[in-house]
Amino acid sequence: MAAQPLIRRLCVIGVGLIGGSLARALREKGEVAEVVGSGRNEDNLRAAVRLGVVDRYDTDPARAVAGADMVVIAVPLGAIEPVLRAIVPSLSPGAVLTDVGSAKGSVVADVERVCGQVLPNFVPGHPIAGTEKSGVDASFATLFRQRRVILTPLVETAAAAHHLVKKMWELTGAEVVDMGVRHHDAVLAATSHLPHMLAYTLVDTLARLDDRAEIFRYAAGGFRDFTRIASSDPTMWHDICLANREQLLEMIALFGADLERLAEAIRTGDRAAILATFQRAKRARDNLYLD
Ligand code: NAP
């Protein structure tokens, strides 16, 4: 344990993949003196104690946050508003509140609805790291290492709260960047939310074909790579696509028009158009954007 840990008492509401991994990473660094977990499912919370992810838990989130200097909300987006309603009256004065939700506009709106304003000690956040697995069993301390965490502080956000949340994520090995809320939601709609919609829809379309058993039997590496994320938690993704609906619908429309253009090129045998699409995509995939 560091002589003076960064966080005295951390409360994680939603001790799953993300909340559990954050707690593990901070514990490993000795930068948190006590971790209190909260959630609905006692089996999961008992497992969190057994695995050493949390010291204790309380299924009542209002009781769980009592005395915490850092509160991290790590539940699906649709559960954030009820969690806020439950915990805000019980937060300690000076407690810093943050979240890990995959869309940020909806979370800021939740805070405004529940509190009537954006709380100065609230710092919206989103770690760009994850797997298709869920629950505390799937959590691990190195999940955020060499990954990015996006914070979307608002003009109302207190500098000290922003600084503490940034420091907390840096201790997990992540690179922390700031971004505007709308920009975050537009970027994530393109890079994460649209790909999940494509993977889910592709697998669903094929799974409803009469000869699906035959089709899946011959699914090779490419299909597996492309569709891995269709194993992600359906509730979480249901919440994400509704929370970021405006930006996601724009991306679906753009992609739909491009797919229709490709279909037309295939229909008419337009070799140049087909080749140009694939060449542009290969160049981008190979050289430009992905490290
Ligand atoms: P997860 O493994 O399913 O963990 C979520 C936890 O929240 C569960 O342990 C669950 O515990 C608790 N929970 C669910 N509904 C709740 C409710 N209504 N009230 C209180 N607790 C509730 O999911 P996760 O992957 O960690 O995702 C958590 C958040 O991180 C989501 O907002 C997601 O958008 C965001 N995120 C996910 C990823 C990713 O790749 N997975 C990446 C970045 C951000 P109980 O069942 O005990 O209630």
Side-chain angles (χ1 to χ4, degrees):
M1 174 86 56
Q4 180 90 50
L6 183 76
I7 300 164
R8 207 174 24 76
R9 183 182 293 169
L10 168 71
C11 176
V12 178
I13 316 253
V15 192
L17 171 70
I18 301 294
S21 297
L22 174 61
R24 283 181 192 264
L26 294 172
R27 267 160 118 62
E28 214 175 82
K29 285 272 172 193
E31 291 288 357
V32 57
E34 186 189 17
V35 183
V36 182
S38 186
R40 304 155 306 172
N41 174 352
E42 283 210 56
D43 285 345
N44 184 63
L45 292 167
R46 271 193 288 267
V49 174
R50 205 170 48 246
L51 293 166
V53 177
V54 302
D55 295 291
R56 60 185 174 87
Y57 68 83
D58 198 317
T59 50
D60 177 353
R63 276 202 307 260
V65 299
D69 44 340
M70 173 70 77
V71 176
V72 178
I73 303 178
V75 300
L77 285 166
I80 290 186
E81 182 177 341
V83 164
L84 284 168
R85 283 196 194 286
I87 66 169
V88 166
S90 305
L91 290 172
S92 297
V96 171
L97 178 65
T98 187
D99 77 298
V100 298
S102 304
K104 300 282 32 110
S106 72
V107 179
V108 172
D110 287 344
V111 172
E112 283 173 333
R113 234 182 347 266
V114 172
C115 306
Q117 57 163 331
V118 176
L119 300 174
N121 274 2
F122 169 61
V123 185
H126 179 201
I128 310 299
T131 72
E132 69 284 12
K133 307 254 171 47
S134 303
V136 74
D137 293 320
S139 65
F140 55 102
T142 55
L143 177 61
F144 309 110
R145 207 170 278 170
Q146 293 182 323
R147 298 309 187 94
R148 292 201 174 96
V149 172
I150 301 175
L151 301 181
T152 62
L154 302 143
V155 284
E156 295 89 342
T157 308
H162 180 203
H163 179 74
L164 190 66
V165 174
K166 182 170 188 280
K167 190 92 198 21
M168 174 181 82
W169 282 113
E170 283 172 350
L171 286 167
T172 69
E175 180 198 348
V176 180
V177 294
D178 286 351
M179 220 182 244
V181 170
R182 266 195 83 76
H183 185 49
H184 168 279
D185 286 358
V187 169
L188 270 291
T191 55
S192 170
H193 306 169
L194 177 66
H196 278 80
M197 300 306 112
L198 302 186
Y200 276 128
T201 311
L202 174 62
V203 176
D204 183 48
T205 301
L206 300 192
R208 285 184 291 112
L209 295 177
D210 288 340
D211 51 353
R212 57 188 170 274
E214 186 71 349
I215 285 173
F216 287 128
R217 185 171 311 130
Y218 290 103
F223 182 80
R224 283 171 199 275
D225 288 352
F226 187 82
T227 60
R228 176 182 60 81
I229 54 178
S231 288
S232 303
D233 183 63
T235 304
M236 186 175 104
W237 279 96
H238 154 276
D239 287 5
I240 292 171
C241 70
L242 292 181
N244 200 20
R245 86 181 72 185
E246 199 188 308
Q247 312 264 24
L248 177 56
L249 285 173
E250 270 181 37
M251 285 314 304
I252 290 175
L254 191 63
F255 179 78
D258 279 351
L259 191 61
E260 186 42 51
R261 232 188 319 279
L262 179 63
E264 182 60 18
I266 294 170
R267 204 174 293 125
T268 58
D270 185 344
R271 291 162 190 271
I274 298 169
L275 213 51
T277 303
F278 295 170
Q279 282 166 343
R280 267 197 315 273
K282 178 171 165 50
R283 249 192 329 271
R285 180 70 172 77
D286 289 350
N287 305 320
L288 291 178
Y289 307 119
L290 299 169
D291 38 41

